[in-house]
Amino acid sequence: MPEESANTSGLGRRTLLRLSAAGGAGAALAAAQTWAAPLLAQRGLLSPDGAFGATSTALSDNLFYIEKYPTSPLIISPFSDPLPIPKALAPVPKSVFSAWRNPPGPGPGQQNSLRNEQHQVWPSQFGEPDPIVYKIDVLLRQHAFTTSQVLPIDGDGEPTVSFDANRRKYPAGTKRTLPLSTIYGFNGTFPGPMINAEYRRPVLVRFENHLDENPLNLDRQDFGSPDLSFLTHLHNGHTAPESDGNPHYSMVAGPRHPGFRPGMFVDNLYLNRPAGNDEREKQSFFWFHDHTMDHTGSNVYKGMVGLYPIYDTTNGMDMGDETRGLRLPGVRTNNANGSFDVKYDIPLAFYDCRLDDGVTIHKDIHDVQGEFPNAKNPAEHPEWWGKTFYKHFPNHGFVGDIFTVNGTASPVLEVKRRKYRFRFLDASVSRIYEFKLMSSAKGPKSSASLGYQGDELEGQYRIEDGQQCMQFTQIAADGGLLPLPLKRDSFELWPAKRREVVVDFTRYQDGTPTTKGDVVYLTNVMKMPNGRMWSNSSRFSPDPKYKVPVLKFVIGDTAPDNSQVPPKLRDLPPLPSNWQSMLDNRMIFEVKRGSAGGETEWLINGKPFDPNNVLASLKNRAGRTPLAQQKKGSFNLWELKNGGGGWVHPFHLHMEEHRTVMRNGRDVSRAVDPGHPDDASREDLAALDPGESVIIYRGFRDFVGPYVAHCHNLAHEDHAMMFGWSITP
């Protein structure tokens, strides 16, 4: 990547590819009006956006990329690897970090290794202690998704050839052990470390870039930020912009580059203080991930994911101790190293991947400028057989065909006969899940053995006889604890969203007690063949045979259980009684696919992300097009519109959570849309079905400076579906 040209505007590569792709877009539209029209009309996509989407895939093969994906080898023994349960990271002792060459602190130049930034606020300004310090290195390492042997199969589900690192070919039917995949990992693991945090106890994390170091002589393949930069975002921490890890700030004020390059460090300060110092604004589950401009998707897919549960110790409300406060499931152990772990409180990070088959041609739009010259693309890569495969610029977004939990494919967890708290996170690039708890008499059967082919192989296994056997009790969403617990037969999990549930493993939903040895499957029932949207789900043309087991629970012995699900959790901050009077002056942002294609495929208000400027709203009912600037301490209504074309968009706004007050022109502040029950909670990500619009109410408190908002389908974000906004003094 030509780094210097990207430094000035961040759009050097995009500009070139936008101009190059314009002709392809015109050809796509022309084709749509001829041979493609009947098919498009049948699918409800006969529009400029839908036409381009349906025809550009075929045309792209002759332009810049090939819309073709490998079929991952079949895992022969699923549900044999134990679910990894992360342990809390230990903080760095003061005696150690105070001796660092550049110790963290509140002074000028102490925010990063470039010595050009200062923390906007320091905890002492609020009368709170200095932060607990953690150190996380960004490392080039390896990861195993399964210990099971695999059988290489093709798109028809039939055995096929495979290869090794020396390009040696193995005949069809040969069982293999997967090679380790190359990752970029926080502290070299996937997922990365878990920081168990607490409100009123600030945390400072020093992220240090060592991606240039390659002690294992690993092949980096052809994805991940080409200049090895990183930028860490605590999603959705209430954080000052210099610690937020957002590209808007990075490009205009921080390193003035898409990210921090090798040898650099940045001290991200997480105050663990609720917005506006309002107890009702407390959250319960963050995660941190890479946010490098143009390469967020590839870096997250390459492994840069970490977990950050946050507990509320005020009056013992939610501190991981089921004998106090709300008494949610959790048995806390305070460790001698300053960390703490909570038993029966388990984070579950979901991530889908696709493994190389050695014969699929790598032809990616990012090869136009030779970002990965060592790959010599377009080319087949038999030497990468069995390792993670990624396309930077897939037409529909990127979905995998192997589903993993905490970095392990098809794991198993033995649970005690008691209640558990599970914290769900969708860390996938594009995939949306819908989960149910199911029993199965016959157990999992491979999709290939059942005769499925192509996209129907995604997930690898099915329990076609699966029946719902338990319910979830949802206790939290993106914005923390709900006002009241919510019984759910199933729930959707969109990219970057979090959901927290309690599951009682002592009995089934009909009241029958469980017994030791019983098996329950966490099952995905949403079929999503590509990143555009689902084809089948509970609320949209359910497929009774698409029941993909993702995690196997085996019931064990009875264990003490002092937990409960209380009738009330946490009050919501109130909406102003006159919020409807703000509608005329709301800001309006429309997310829509651009007709030009290329690197500016995905736009907001018709414009690609410009790191040097904030975006202007579309014209509102007051006839104004205000800039996306808000006064510190203000509140406002923003409208987010899905411009159509048959796409869904998980839209994320940094810095504060919002309340959805209207969906599709209907007031949902009192009675929510049945398809989006989480509109009743606080969220940091708006789920936009095709053609939908939402109006949200949110605040802009405590800090000033630039932030971003973007689609969290990371293929969309990386191709310009992001805009800058700011808080002014």
Side-chain angles (χ1 to χ4, degrees):
M1 176 177 180
E3 297 174 24
E4 297 308 315
S5 64
N7 273 348
T8 56
S9 69
L11 301 177
R13 185 188 70 210
R14 288 180 176 168
T15 301
L16 172 67
L17 295 178
R18 179 178 69 242
L19 295 174
S20 301
L29 289 169
Q33 294 169 359
T34 55
W35 57 267
L39 176 61
L40 292 172
Q42 182 181 3
R43 297 181 62 191
L45 300 175
L46 192 54
S47 66
D49 186 36
F52 180 73
T55 57
S56 62
T57 297
L59 290 166
S60 67
D61 289 1
N62 296 319
L63 294 172
F64 299 125
Y65 62 98
I66 294 177
E67 191 74 8
K68 185 179 179 183
Y69 301 90
T71 298
S72 297
L74 176 66
I75 295 171
I76 296 173
S77 303
F79 307 109
S80 55
D81 287 329
L83 173 76
I85 300 177
K87 295 292 185 182
L89 182 66
V92 180
K94 185 175 182 179
S95 60
V96 174
F97 71 74
S98 61
W100 288 348
R101 180 179 176 184
N102 295 300
Q110 285 194 279
Q111 196 268 336
N112 64 50
S113 56
L114 296 170
R115 317 300 291 174
N116 65 346
E117 290 295 322
Q118 181 176 2
H119 294 286
Q120 188 173 139
V121 296
W122 194 253
S124 59
Q125 294 174 233
F126 301 115
E128 293 178 354
D130 282 347
I132 301 167
V133 174
Y134 293 86
K135 174 79 156 35
I136 293 178
D137 292 332
V138 187
L139 302 173
L140 173 64
R141 291 295 186 268
Q142 295 176 297
H143 178 75
F145 291 104
T146 181
T147 63
S148 167
Q149 282 200 304
V150 298
L151 176 67
I153 59 174
D154 60 20
D156 294 326
E158 297 295 328
T160 189
V161 299
S162 60
F163 307 87
D164 63 19
N166 297 315
R167 296 189 165 217
R168 176 188 171 189
K169 182 185 287 188
Y170 293 77
T174 305
K175 297 178 181 179
R176 301 288 308 282
T177 298
L178 284 177
L180 299 177
S181 286
T182 300
I183 66 166
Y184 293 168
F186 294 120
N187 281 354
T189 65
F190 175 70
M194 180 173 73
I195 295 175
N196 276 341
E198 295 175 313
Y199 273 101
R200 312 294 179 186
R201 298 191 70 194
V203 160
L204 182 146
V205 184
R206 174 162 293 185
F207 292 96
E208 192 166 283
N209 191 343
H210 294 270
L211 289 177
D212 58 324
E213 301 169 14
N214 191 356
L216 302 177
N217 194 30
L218 301 177
D219 188 333
R220 297 176 186 270
Q221 299 173 258
D222 57 358
F223 64 94
S225 50
D227 66 356
L228 308 183
S229 60
F230 84 98
L231 193 67
T232 306
H233 170 55
L234 180 66
H235 182 127
N236 188 49
H238 186 55
T239 305
E242 71 275 2
S243 293
D244 185 58
N246 79 77
H248 190 14
Y249 189 89
S250 169
M251 292 294 292
V252 302
R256 292 181 173 83
H257 186 77
F260 289 91
R261 285 168 280 190
M264 297 181 182
F265 71 78
V266 59
D267 288 347
N268 284 355
L269 176 60
Y270 307 134
L271 292 172
N272 296 337
R273 179 180 174 86
N277 200 28
D278 186 339
E279 293 287 315
R280 297 166 298 189
E281 295 278 1
K282 287 182 175 177
Q283 297 155 277
S284 53
F285 187 25
F286 300 133
W287 65 302
F288 51 95
H289 63 80
D290 183 76
H291 214 316
T292 302
M293 181 172 153
D294 297 340
H295 288 280
T296 297
S298 60
N299 277 357
V300 169
Y301 182 76
K302 210 172 181 85
M304 293 172 68
V305 170
L307 307 174
Y308 195 101
I310 183 164
Y311 294 84
D312 182 6
T313 61
T314 303
N315 300 320
M317 183 176 184
D318 183 20
M319 60 180 294
D321 182 349
E322 63 188 35
T323 66
R324 300 182 59 189
L326 294 174
R327 296 182 57 190
L328 294 169
V331 176
R332 175 168 170 151
T333 300
N334 294 317
N335 302 318
N337 61 18
S339 69
F340 65 93
D341 289 293
V342 183
K343 195 174 182 180
Y344 309 120
D345 181 350
I346 301 176
L348 302 175
F350 297 87
Y351 160 98
D352 61 335
C353 63
R354 194 173 289 269
L355 305 181
D356 209 315
D357 60 4
V359 297
T360 295
I361 295 177
H362 292 234
K363 185 179 181 183
D364 194 295
I365 199 166
H366 284 229
D367 294 315
V368 170
Q369 283 194 327
E371 289 187 349
F372 304 96
N374 292 337
K376 297 179 173 59
N377 291 335
E380 298 176 355
H381 287 284
E383 73 277 15
W384 295 345
W385 177 87
K387 297 185 178 183
T388 43
F389 173 97
Y390 185 72
K391 277 190 180 295
H392 293 265
F393 187 77
N395 188 272
H396 293 114
F398 182 88
V399 294
D401 57 1
I402 291 177
F403 302 165
T404 76
V405 191
N406 293 351
T408 296
S410 304
V412 60
L413 174 65
E414 181 177 320
V415 293
K416 303 295 185 182
R417 292 191 68 251
R418 54 153 292 149
K419 292 186 288 298
Y420 280 71
R421 178 179 187 170
F422 294 108
R423 301 176 189 245
F424 285 69
L425 160 68
D426 185 349
S428 296
V429 173
S430 304
R431 183 176 292 279
I432 305 171
Y433 304 85
E434 182 188 355
F435 291 116
K436 286 189 175 183
L437 292 167
M438 290 188 158
S439 59
S440 169
K442 297 181 180 179
K445 305 293 182 185
S446 73
S447 299
S449 69
L450 294 171
Y452 292 105
Q453 298 178 343
D455 295 336
E456 296 281 354
L457 294 171
E458 291 178 8
Q460 296 209 338
Y461 282 83
R462 298 197 185 193
I463 47 172
E464 290 193 322
D465 68 333
Q467 299 291 324
Q468 182 186 334
C469 62
M470 292 181 175
Q471 287 183 305
F472 305 101
T473 301
Q474 185 179 344
I475 59 171
D478 307 356
L481 295 174
L482 304 177
L484 305 171
L486 181 62
K487 286 284 188 182
R488 305 287 296 268
D489 291 326
S490 70
F491 64 91
E492 294 178 4
L493 195 68
W494 291 46
K497 273 191 171 292
R498 286 89 65 217
R499 295 288 178 265
E500 296 178 49
V501 302
V502 173
V503 177
D504 186 348
F505 288 107
T506 65
R507 64 187 63 254
Y508 295 104
Q509 64 186 37
D510 64 0
T512 305
T514 58
T515 59
K516 185 174 181 179
D518 287 356
V519 171
V520 176
Y521 292 98
L522 179 69
T523 305
N524 178 38
V525 297
M526 178 177 283
K527 186 191 297 183
M528 192 170 175
N530 56 52
R532 186 178 197 129
M533 64 175 292
W534 57 86
S535 60
N536 307 86
S537 70
S538 290
R539 63 186 179 98
F540 184 89
S541 184
D543 180 348
K545 292 187 176 182
Y546 189 80
K547 301 168 185 174
V548 175
V550 177
L551 170 60
K552 178 181 179 179
F553 296 111
V554 178
I555 309 293
D557 293 323
T558 300
D561 187 359
N562 294 305
S563 71
Q564 64 178 16
V565 179
K568 182 178 179 180
L569 294 164
R570 192 190 296 281
D571 289 332
L572 291 173
L575 289 169
S577 59
N578 66 338
W579 67 263
Q580 291 179 329
S581 68
M582 305 167 66
L583 285 169
D584 286 355
N585 282 303
R586 68 184 182 270
M587 294 196 184
I588 304 172
F589 304 101
E590 182 182 52
V591 294
K592 189 174 182 180
R593 189 173 187 181
S595 60
E599 284 290 278
T600 53
E601 181 83 5
W602 303 99
L603 308 176
I604 301 177
N605 290 357
K607 298 182 181 298
F609 174 54
D610 178 357
N612 296 304
N613 294 289
V614 299
L615 186 66
S617 165
L618 295 180
K619 185 178 290 187
N620 58 30
R621 290 199 313 209
R624 300 175 60 243
T625 56
L627 292 175
Q629 294 175 333
Q630 303 282 170
K631 289 284 188 181
K632 179 182 175 182
S634 69
F635 293 80
N636 201 3
L637 296 179
W638 284 17
E639 181 175 3
L640 307 172
K641 300 174 64 175
N642 185 339
W647 307 86
V648 297
H649 298 288
F651 201 80
H652 171 52
L653 302 102
H654 283 218
M655 208 279 295
E656 281 207 35
E657 290 62 57
H658 62 259
R659 288 275 304 278
T660 301
V661 295
M662 297 189 77
R663 184 176 285 271
N664 299 327
R666 189 172 68 86
D667 184 346
V668 294
S669 63
R670 295 179 177 86
V672 300
D673 183 315
H676 295 279
D678 292 299
D679 284 351
S681 63
R682 295 183 310 122
E683 299 179 283
D684 60 57
L685 190 144
L688 295 173
D689 286 353
E692 279 196 322
S693 75
V694 298
I695 297 177
I696 62 174
Y697 176 81
R698 69 189 307 253
F700 306 88
R701 290 169 282 183
D702 301 330
F703 312 109
V704 296
Y707 292 91
V708 291
H710 57 88
C711 182
H712 226 290
N713 180 329
L714 298 179
H716 295 178
E717 175 193 335
D718 283 344
H719 297 90
M721 190 169 271
M722 179 160 58
F723 73 89
W725 60 273
S726 66
I727 302 175
T728 59

